[in-house]
Amino acid sequence: MDDKTVASAIANAVQQPKSGAPTPKGQHRRGGWLRQLLVPLLAIITALILGALVIAFTDESVFQAFGGGFGRGVGQAFSVIGRAYGAFFSGAFGNPVRIISALISGQGAQIRRAIYPLMETLRISTPYIFAGLAVALGFQGGVFNIGAEGQYFIAGLVTVFVGYAIKGLPAIVHLPLALLAGVVGGGLWGAIPGYLKAKTGAHEVINTIMLNYIAFRLAEFMLDANGLMARGDGRPVSPEIQPSAYLPQFFPNQVELRVNVGFFLALAAAALVWWLLYKTTLGYEIRTVGANPRAARYAGMSVARTIVITMALSGALAGLSASTDILGVLHYMPNAFSSGYGFDAIALALLGKSHPFGVVLASLLFGALRAGAQNMQGIAQVPVDLTSIVQGLIIVFIAAPEIIRKLYRLRQPVEGEELVTVRGWGGA
Amino acid sequence: MPPVLQLRGITKRFPGVLANDHIDLELEQGQVLALLGENGAGKSTLMNILYGLYHPDEGEIYVRGEKADIQGPSDAIKLGIGMVHQHFMLVPVLTVTENVMLGMESIRNGIVLDRAKAARRIRDISDQYGLEVDPEATVEDLPVGIQQRVEIIKLLYRNADILILDEPTAVLTPQEVMGLIAVIRSLVAQGKSVVFISHKLKEVLELSDRIVVLRRGRSVGATTPAESDERSLASMMVGRDVILEVPKGPANPGDVVLDVRDLVVKGDQNKVAVSGVSFQVRGGEIVGVAGVQGNGQTELIEALTGLRAVESGRVELGGRDVANASPRSITEDGTAHVPEDRQRDGLVLGYSVADNLILNTYYLAPIAKGLAMQEAAITDRADRLIKEYDVRTPTPLTPAGNLSGGNQQKVIVARELSRPVKLTIASQPTRGLDVGSIEYIHSQLVKKRDEGAAVIVVSAELDEVMALADRILVMYEGRIMGALDAAAATKESLGMLMAGVATE
Amino acid sequence: MTLIKTSAKAQRRARTLGVVLLVSALAILLLFVPGANAGQTTTFAFNETRSEAFAIPELAFPTRAGLYLMAALTAFAGAYQLARGFTRQGAVLGIVAGLFVLAFLTWAARGQSMNLTGMMKSSLLRAIPIILAALSGVMCERCGIVNIGIEGMMLSGAFLAALIGSVANNVWVGLIGAMLGGALMAALLAVLAIKYRVNQIVAGTAINILATGLTSYFSSRYLQKYEVLNTPPTFLPIPLPGLSRIPIIGPALFNHTVPVYLTLVLVIAIQLMLFYTRWGLRTRAVGEHPRAADTLGVNVFLTRYVNVLLGGCVAGLGGAYLVLSSVARFDELMTAGKGYIGLAAMIFGKWNPVGAFGSSLMFGFADSLQTRLAILAVPIPSQFLLMAPYLLTMVVLAGVVGRSRGPAAGGQPYEKE
């Protein structure tokens, strides 16, 4: 007991109130924001630099140039990197010169071509935002939803079923219904591990992984060439959904610009999650259970109930990534594909510091990475998989900010700023 | 022959705390030295220094007459010093043999664990000192008393001859304590030397050859059982340099607010922690619950506030039975609870002060309207309470974790006492706080009493209980040893009750 | 009090087991018997090749009679359990589960012939990468490091097995390359989890993404471009003299490639090391209560580093098996989730090497069965068979049938005071 007293005395001594004039409200917050952004930004930059090194050192022309002298080698390395990242950039955001000149020319076709990369980035970001929000919401509530992938499959199945099986509804009813189906499907699938954690203590990480595979097999079964939801023409895909369930395109007459209202839905979802987390009693409960379940219990909250709700909401958000994919872009559900959203979503939540707006920014970045990578492969022959390398590195740096701080000689952060996720599954 | 162990001028400072202030200590071979003192007196710190877990800022350690430099537990082990920690360092799923041999394994054929050999040695040690431990048993299946013996065997297995036992009786039943005393006797009879840390007077008197009393990090006296008795030890132990005085008028007790009858509560190890406690608290009085920690106070309070299941008995709050009611319904019934562990239970350290101030009213008007929380109302309440309860915080949006302990506690007190309550429960309300905060919190509790609320204060600090309470209940091993009128209570009489000695 | 409570719990569980057994018997009667026509026979064959020392005759029996017998045995076990109670309940449950599977096979192969030996063999082969993944998990988790990154380690192992094996044109060098690949990723996990105290699940996820990216990137940069870099030699089956000629188990167990034998040896070796050596004792102590180990002079960090690296090597072997024992080339994402299945097998096997082996076999059996059923044209969707192991893992994790408890310190970074 002596130790405890001493320890708390130490804690008290360390945490003396700041002397001097009290910081004005706004300034206090902004300082925090800037500091919070610094590490993620440096993490992204560092990962991109490492990615550039990978590009340079796997390019034969660089090696050949090194044969002709060090300076030449370095020059060639920079030119290779420049070409790759240039292609990457124009693939992700478009060529600014072309966009401006197209806008000036006022020609529809030209403008569309010029903004196509940017629109693709937004399209690819859409499901990322939903999936990232799903994991971020879980983190806030102290649960690790590694099952966005499974929730995606289930929500996709339900959404596509509502989309093609119900006929003759007006779009105003059919579309929301199909979206709702995804929300319910993903939500229920997410609630299962939540319930198991709350009732039996079984760790949600394992259960969500198991449910991923179960969902995957279920989707495979349903969409098998002879499956219950197969199109019937021998292909393992679902039937096309009714046009009344389509998410409206931004450019309805231009099929190649696939960006759709789903992107706005994603932004709205981020705003909604933000509101829920920070402005409602439920959000307060979720965050309290996530930050300190003992205090939550002391405060009279039902920890078990909150965990189930958190997982259900998380699953619902992950479900929406499938719904918007299907209703906005694919218009059917293919069999046996891995969306990869489940793991990317973890990266997104980490990168966004589990804050809804952070997740949006992170998703836009990942969308750009994916869109740009396509172009990079096409033009500079750099495999798209570079994005996975960069993403993996970003997670490493975000999760171990010490590395970044050492690298850039940054100050240690104030206690309590570190990201807290969840524990392993060993203990109680 | 020089003393087997000698500490000279050991000083250890933690930021803001002088944990050990020039402590001298001598242990002769074959003796039991009792280190007596209240919680926070610096006993464990001193022993952790001896075991190499902390490094002293000043002072020297001599083992068998030679100066020792103890950098870590392995140095201590080499010097023949072994320590049984208050929280056992045993791996529950391993067997006794495995736990004992860990780090010093017997090996045969160059690779295979020689369990049989280790078990033989454990049996030998067990027989030699009358420990009666089965080497094949899995530790988690053993009762706490036997687990402690496993810890002692771990030391003997490493040939330790200076044994430090940190609060060894804190977790034991009376029968197990008897067994432990026998074991210690047998150890010293065979030449081992023992340092025995305790705050229980009776055991100390029964067992030790010499007694050193620590208070507030200083050694305040050395004596022997022959020269002292429980009364003198209690006054040495609980005496204070600073005498706390709480300005308050006489109590004006009204109706019974809390009526507890035959309450039985189990602790974490499924052991009965509160066994058949009955008492009443009236409005307008402060009832102090005194007692050495770990005698059921924590479990009692948790049961009263709905955080722990009640096995049997009644808890009536304003006439309604709230045994096993939910924490929320008990809170809504008008109970304020300042929890014992403020950082773990009472606060969300990452939340702002403002958010912490609404921890159990976040869902009620005006803080919430339906699902939506009202920012303005939260800010208003925060501004008002911060001012009213003198919380020193840079802004209401500062994370509670950044405040000092005293201000953290003020946040909790503000949150709890600002609600209309008929029962206020404060557990260790001033532990680790500075004098200013202590006075403030005391005055708030008295104010609550004067407004007519029933107040329960649980504290390990006798001075606090005596200064604050109108009546005092003393808990010992899950029972109420005695109930005294605060005016009639003396430190000695309370100390006796706390040590389990019944007064007539 | 405590004693009474546990015995009440045990009683309830014993009763539950009895009921489960009776329900199984009923299930055999209701699910399988109606499907079998009166005249049908089921044939089980046991000879895989002609290499056995002597041929075991095929076992042919009337389907219905066989099913009735199995139902009766199951029902008897259930009744005995309810009336008297078995002492070794786990074993009984296992036997009855086996009976149930046998009943299923009897029904599935009604009017046809099924080669059980071939089935055993293919179950084992399909289980090998899962076993290695699970063993990797056991090694890491036993010392308190949760390893979600097994998949990534296997993938790296597979990649380097193909690359280095091709360049050296030597299977053994390829095998070492695979272990290196696994260990590299494991080193990253170890540094992140031990030194930087990163959330271990996050670290594992990062490894999976990173390994996917790196292997796919280098694969499309080099392996796909230069076929010579992706044509590793392969291990050939080596029939163990004598043993391989034993009927049934010979072909199933003793006519395999080196990685298969190595896997079987590793299962036993890790089991023995974990429970009978100093390393194992220290590993388990560190995984359960690192501070206790630390106070006795055990180096917690070193123990964890060593284990995680060894675990990475084992995972790498899993990747090597895929490349050097079967397909002889690296394909992007070729591990196809086997790392995660291994994780499930580890939990199902209660963090024990032998248990993990058994549950991996179950996963392999489910996998092998679904292909057989397709051949037999049994109207059970293969997906449901493939789903079953995951469902069972969830059931075990929830504590419905015997609780699976991981090392107590799993996932928690250790900090010195």
Side-chain angles (χ1 to χ4, degrees):
Chain A
M1 289 301 134
D2 290 25
D3 276 341
K4 217 170 174 182
T5 325
V6 171
S8 78
I10 296 170
N12 295 342
V14 171
Q15 293 165 350
Q16 286 300 330
K18 314 281 175 288
S19 55
T23 336
K25 219 173 179 177
Q27 200 185 332
H28 182 79
R29 279 214 130 151
R30 211 164 345 156
W33 274 108
L34 263 179
R35 232 191 356 245
Q36 288 205 343
L37 273 178
L38 188 60
V39 170
L41 279 177
L42 287 175
I44 294 165
I45 291 167
T46 316
L48 285 173
I49 292 173
L50 287 174
L53 290 178
V54 170
I55 295 173
F57 283 105
T58 53
D59 193 291
E60 279 146 48
S61 70
V62 174
F63 286 106
Q64 280 158 12
F66 266 111
F70 184 74
R72 248 200 230 171
V74 172
Q76 179 64 21
F78 272 102
S79 109
V80 165
I81 293 168
R83 193 155 44 101
Y85 277 4
F88 168 80
F89 191 83
S90 63
F93 306 108
N95 184 334
V97 180
R98 243 171 79 189
I99 294 177
I100 291 167
S101 71
L103 283 173
I104 292 169
S105 78
Q107 284 190 330
Q110 229 174 334
I111 295 177
R112 279 199 304 275
R113 245 200 318 277
I115 61 168
Y116 173 79
L118 196 59
M119 294 302 112
E120 272 301 276
T121 293
L122 297 187
R123 176 188 71 81
I124 300 171
S125 301
T126 304
Y128 276 146
I129 295 175
F130 284 117
L133 286 173
V135 177
L137 185 77
F139 278 159
Q140 293 267 8
V143 286
F144 203 142
N145 181 9
I146 211 165
E149 186 96 14
Q151 291 140 19
Y152 181 98
F153 287 128
I154 298 299
L157 286 175
V158 186
T159 297
V160 84
F161 180 77
V162 170
Y164 75 75
I166 301 177
K167 297 187 174 84
L169 284 180
I172 191 99
V173 181
H174 198 184
L175 175 59
L177 197 65
L179 285 169
L180 186 70
V183 168
V184 172
L188 286 177
W189 203 249
I192 296 171
Y195 177 83
L196 289 173
K197 182 190 177 92
K199 287 294 160 197
T200 72
H203 202 288
E204 73 277 8
V205 165
I206 288 295
N207 277 332
T208 45
I209 291 176
M210 297 302 112
L211 284 168
N212 281 350
Y213 283 100
I214 294 171
F216 177 76
R217 295 296 177 198
L218 202 62
E220 203 179 59
F221 168 67
M222 299 299 259
L223 298 170
D224 191 67
N226 308 312
L228 297 176
M229 284 170 65
R231 193 174 287 194
D233 59 1
R235 284 194 297 154
V237 294
S238 80
E240 289 268 343
I241 59 169
Q242 298 293 307
S244 54
Y246 283 15
L247 273 170
Q249 307 280 119
F250 282 0
F251 307 96
N253 302 320
Q254 314 301 331
V255 276
E256 79 275 12
L257 289 177
R258 294 183 286 177
V259 64
N260 57 70
V261 173
F263 180 70
F264 287 137
L265 285 182
L267 293 183
L272 196 69
V273 168
W274 174 81
W275 179 76
L276 176 86
L277 276 174
Y278 297 104
K279 300 291 164 194
T280 69
T281 55
L282 179 62
Y284 186 80
E285 286 171 358
I286 290 173
R287 286 184 297 128
T288 307
V289 167
N292 185 345
R294 283 179 59 124
R297 207 169 149 253
Y298 159 85
M301 301 170 187
S302 165
V303 176
R305 181 176 144 262
T306 309
I307 287 175
V308 177
I309 290 175
T310 307
M311 276 304 293
L313 287 174
S314 178
L317 284 165
L320 276 172
S321 63
S323 301
T324 50
D325 250 7
I326 286 168
L327 302 177
V329 182
L330 297 170
H331 298 153
Y332 68 96
M333 185 164 173
N335 182 11
F337 78 112
S338 164
S339 69
Y341 292 139
F343 291 116
D344 286 347
I346 295 164
L348 293 166
L350 288 170
L351 189 54
K353 296 240 162 188
S354 298
H355 191 286
F357 300 151
V359 168
V360 170
L361 292 178
S363 302
L364 289 172
L365 174 77
F366 272 37
L369 282 175
R370 292 275 169 209
Q374 296 292 344
N375 206 43
M376 192 163 64
Q377 179 158 19
I379 293 175
Q381 284 81 48
V382 174
V384 281
D385 309 294
L386 188 76
T387 53
S388 292
I389 299 177
V390 171
Q391 284 175 3
L393 289 171
I394 290 176
I395 303 181
V396 167
F397 294 139
I398 296 283
E402 263 182 76
I403 299 176
I404 289 292
R405 280 196 212 100
K406 265 187 202 160
L407 220 51
Y408 297 95
R409 310 222 149 47
L410 298 181
R411 256 181 341 108
Q412 284 298 307
V414 182
E415 190 107 12
E417 250 180 44
E418 290 300 309
L419 180 76
V420 180
T421 43
V422 282
R423 303 193 319 108
W425 49 69
Chain B
M1 205 170 75
V4 66
L5 178 71
Q6 201 174 14
L7 305 184
R8 280 195 207 149
I10 297 287
T11 301
K12 179 70 185 172
R13 294 180 196 90
F14 292 111
V17 179
L18 191 54
N20 287 161
D21 184 3
H22 295 92
I23 293 180
D24 296 326
L25 205 70
E26 278 182 16
L27 174 65
E28 302 287 343
Q29 203 208 321
Q31 276 202 342
V32 178
L33 171 69
L35 213 50
L36 184 68
E38 279 193 292
N39 294 317
K43 301 170 304 223
S44 288
T45 306
L46 188 63
M47 289 304 109
N48 281 330
I49 287 172
L50 186 53
Y51 194 58
L53 290 170
Y54 295 151
H55 302 290
D57 297 320
E58 288 172 37
E60 286 147 5
I61 300 170
Y62 294 85
V63 178
R64 292 175 212 91
E66 280 176 42
K67 190 161 184 278
D69 180 26
I70 303 174
Q71 289 295 330
S74 49
D75 289 342
I77 292 170
K78 272 183 214 133
L79 287 165
I81 301 171
M83 181 160 172
V84 175
H85 299 262
Q86 197 176 350
H87 302 284
F88 297 157
M89 293 294 173
L90 294 171
V91 184
V93 297
L94 299 185
T95 65
V96 171
T97 307
E98 288 170 331
N99 264 289
V100 171
M101 76 197 299
L102 180 64
M104 229 183 103
E105 298 86 353
S106 309
I107 299 292
R108 67 187 151 86
N109 301 335
I111 180 158
V112 183
L113 284 179
D114 197 345
R115 287 196 174 82
K117 189 174 160 198
R120 263 200 309 280
R121 224 181 125 213
I122 291 167
R123 262 195 207 96
D124 289 347
I125 294 171
S126 174
D127 290 346
Q128 188 182 348
Y129 298 97
L131 292 167
E132 291 169 42
V133 171
D134 172 16
E136 321 292 342
T138 303
V139 163
E140 64 186 343
D141 298 335
L142 297 174
V144 177
I146 303 294
Q147 289 190 12
Q148 188 172 57
R149 292 178 180 196
V150 178
E151 285 278 30
I152 293 174
I153 289 178
K154 257 163 73 177
L155 312 188
L156 299 172
Y157 193 85
R158 285 163 178 75
N159 297 316
D161 46 22
I162 301 169
L163 308 180
I164 306 166
L165 308 179
D166 190 359
E167 306 259 0
T169 58
V171 288
L172 301 185
T173 66
Q175 292 78 8
E176 287 173 331
V177 171
M178 298 305 293
L180 176 68
I181 288 176
V183 167
I184 294 177
R185 291 232 165 91
S186 145
L187 288 168
V188 291
Q190 297 183 53
K192 305 282 181 194
S193 318
V194 175
V195 181
F196 176 87
I197 302 176
S198 180
H199 46 226
K200 300 192 182 173
L201 306 171
K202 211 168 142 189
E203 295 155 15
V204 164
L205 283 171
E206 183 176 346
L207 190 61
S208 57
D209 299 300
R210 286 184 53 248
I211 302 167
V212 170
V213 184
L214 295 190
R215 191 202 314 152
R216 295 237 152 164
R218 289 218 303 273
S219 164
V220 293
T223 178
T224 64
E227 295 164 2
S228 55
D229 58 12
E230 284 169 49
R231 271 165 214 272
S232 67
L233 286 179
S235 64
M236 275 169 88
M237 197 168 115
V238 299
R240 272 291 139 102
D241 309 328
V242 186
I243 293 180
L244 290 166
E245 280 215 44
V246 180
K248 60 170 174 138
N252 204 353
D255 294 335
V256 172
V257 171
L258 180 71
D259 189 356
V260 178
R261 260 177 284 157
D262 303 321
L263 183 68
V264 176
V265 183
K266 278 187 177 171
D268 286 336
Q269 266 84 44
N270 211 23
K271 201 169 96 176
V272 173
V274 177
S275 47
V277 159
S278 302
F279 63 91
Q280 291 184 335
V281 185
R282 292 173 180 274
E285 71 167 348
I286 298 180
V287 170
V289 177
V292 172
Q293 262 201 312
N295 275 292
Q297 303 96 312
T298 305
E299 290 82 359
L300 170 68
I301 298 308
E302 285 179 351
L304 295 184
T305 50
L307 293 170
R308 187 176 285 275
V310 169
E311 295 291 318
S312 64
R314 281 179 78 78
V315 179
E316 272 181 22
L317 178 62
R320 182 172 90 98
D321 188 2
V322 294
N324 288 324
S326 73
R328 175 153 294 171
S329 79
I330 292 175
T331 307
E332 285 176 343
D333 261 10
T335 302
H337 178 199
V338 178
E340 179 180 321
D341 192 333
R342 73 179 77 97
Q343 297 201 338
R344 283 218 302 179
D345 291 327
L347 292 170
V348 179
L349 293 176
Y351 276 6
S352 66
V353 171
D355 277 351
N356 270 295
L357 283 169
I358 55 166
L359 197 58
N360 44 21
T361 47
Y362 67 93
Y363 60 99
L364 298 170
I367 301 301
K369 280 184 188 153
L371 196 62
M373 294 180 79
Q374 304 300 309
E375 196 109 339
I378 297 171
T379 319
D380 279 356
R381 176 168 300 182
D383 287 340
R384 183 167 59 81
L385 292 181
I386 286 172
K387 214 168 131 208
E388 206 176 309
Y389 288 84
D390 191 32
V391 181
R392 308 265 168 89
T393 171
T395 79
L397 299 178
T398 304
N402 289 2
L403 302 187
S404 71
N407 282 303
Q408 287 180 353
Q409 189 72 328
K410 281 183 188 171
V411 170
I412 296 175
V413 167
R415 179 181 72 216
E416 296 303 309
L417 301 193
S418 60
R419 291 186 284 125
V421 291
K422 46 191 185 201
L423 173 66
T424 297
I425 299 176
S427 247
Q428 316 292 355
T430 61
R431 177 191 285 166
L433 301 191
D434 59 289
V435 178
S437 303
I438 292 176
E439 281 176 359
Y440 183 81
I441 284 162
H442 285 170
S443 70
Q444 288 300 320
L445 290 171
V446 171
K447 193 171 144 212
K448 215 67 202 172
R449 176 198 78 166
D450 293 341
E451 287 167 13
V455 180
I456 299 177
V457 175
V458 180
S459 178
E461 310 256 358
L462 264 190
D463 293 293
E464 176 164 55
V465 175
M466 292 177 68
L468 254 184
D470 302 308
R471 283 194 302 130
I472 300 174
L473 307 175
V474 182
M475 283 194 79
Y476 178 73
E477 293 195 338
R479 298 177 182 282
I480 292 182
M481 276 303 286
L484 304 175
D485 204 348
T490 62
K491 276 180 191 170
E492 287 72 23
S493 61
L494 289 173
M496 299 269 281
L497 289 169
M498 283 167 72
V501 183
T503 43
E504 61 292 337
Chain C
M1 260 328 260
T2 333
L3 272 174
I4 295 164
K5 229 179 184 167
T6 41
S7 79
K9 215 184 217 169
Q11 264 178 15
R12 203 172 55 233
R13 274 181 74 169
R15 232 185 359 254
T16 312
L17 177 62
V19 173
V20 166
L21 297 185
L22 286 182
V23 170
S24 311
L26 204 63
I28 294 175
L29 288 178
L30 292 181
L31 290 177
F32 303 141
V33 173
N37 294 330
Q40 276 178 326
T41 54
T42 296
T43 309
F44 287 135
F46 299 98
N47 303 315
E48 206 229 356
T49 52
R50 304 254 168 264
S51 66
E52 289 95 337
F54 55 90
I56 291 198
E58 291 187 338
L59 178 67
F61 56 92
T63 307
R64 272 201 173 172
L67 287 174
Y68 281 131
L69 179 67
M70 291 168 210
L73 283 173
T74 310
F76 173 76
Y80 187 87
Q81 170 68 17
L82 282 182
R84 288 276 181 83
F86 289 102
T87 42
R88 300 202 56 187
Q89 298 187 351
V92 173
L93 187 63
I95 290 168
V96 170
L99 267 177
F100 190 81
V101 170
L102 195 64
F104 174 77
L105 294 179
T106 304
W107 166 78
R110 64 193 187 281
Q112 303 179 63
S113 168
M114 182 184 263
N115 190 320
L116 286 188
T117 305
M119 185 92 194
M120 274 167 69
K121 182 171 183 173
S122 78
S123 298
L124 177 67
L125 289 181
R126 280 161 199 267
I128 292 293
I130 302 171
I131 297 170
L132 289 166
L135 285 179
S136 169
V138 169
M139 304 272 292
C140 296
E141 304 229 344
R142 276 289 179 171
C143 73
I145 303 288
V146 169
N147 187 357
I148 291 270
I150 300 171
E151 179 86 3
M153 296 177 191
M154 287 176 81
L155 207 50
S156 313
F159 175 80
L160 282 189
L163 180 65
I164 297 182
S166 302
V167 171
N169 197 24
N170 182 320
V171 277
W172 298 98
V173 176
L175 203 63
I176 290 167
M179 300 209 297
L180 188 75
L184 277 176
M185 286 296 150
L188 182 60
L189 172 68
V191 170
L192 287 177
I194 301 167
K195 175 148 193 251
Y196 291 104
R197 300 190 296 278
V198 169
N199 179 304
Q200 293 166 8
I201 295 167
V202 170
T205 308
I207 281 165
N208 286 336
I209 295 180
L210 203 56
T212 305
L214 285 171
T215 55
S216 302
Y217 180 89
F218 284 96
S219 165
S220 47
R221 264 259 141 123
Y222 297 113
L223 300 196
Q224 284 169 21
K225 236 186 199 161
Y226 309 104
E227 198 52 33
V228 287
L229 294 178
N230 199 10
T231 43
T234 51
F235 286 102
L236 296 173
I238 305 170
L240 293 188
L243 291 176
S244 67
R245 290 168 54 81
I246 303 172
I248 304 178
I249 63 164
L253 283 181
F254 299 115
N255 187 9
H256 288 298
T257 58
V258 169
V260 176
Y261 293 132
L262 194 59
T263 304
L264 298 178
V265 169
L266 273 177
V267 170
I268 296 164
I270 295 176
Q271 177 84 17
L272 292 177
M273 279 164 72
L274 213 43
F275 294 100
Y276 296 97
T277 67
R278 179 199 321 228
W279 167 81
L281 179 62
R282 292 184 174 191
T283 297
R284 287 182 294 140
V286 165
E288 293 285 344
H289 194 334
R291 193 162 306 286
D294 196 13
T295 57
L296 294 176
V298 174
N299 189 331
V300 174
F301 299 121
L302 182 72
T303 308
R304 289 190 166 175
Y305 273 113
V306 169
N307 275 284
V308 173
L309 287 177
L310 289 177
C313 291
V314 174
L317 282 180
Y321 170 79
L322 294 175
V323 171
L324 302 176
S325 251
S326 44
V327 293
R329 58 174 288 115
F330 175 82
D331 290 312
E332 290 175 24
L333 300 175
M334 72 186 303
T335 47
K338 294 204 169 55
Y340 296 106
I341 303 175
L343 209 61
M346 171 196 75
I347 294 167
F348 203 89
K350 303 195 174 184
W351 280 266
N352 272 336
V354 170
F357 172 73
S359 45
S360 301
L361 278 183
M362 181 186 84
F363 282 65
F365 176 72
D367 195 4
S368 149
L369 188 61
Q370 53 103 6
T371 57
R372 298 285 154 143
L373 293 189
I375 297 166
L376 292 173
V378 172
I380 287 190
S382 63
Q383 289 88 359
F384 286 99
L385 271 172
L386 292 172
M387 227 183 261
Y390 304 111
L391 270 174
L392 281 175
T393 303
M394 289 178 69
V395 167
V396 169
L397 202 62
V400 181
V401 190
R403 186 149 187 105
S404 183
R405 188 174 69 165
Q412 294 164 12
Y414 181 66
E415 276 178 90
K416 285 217 168 223
E417 274 178 280

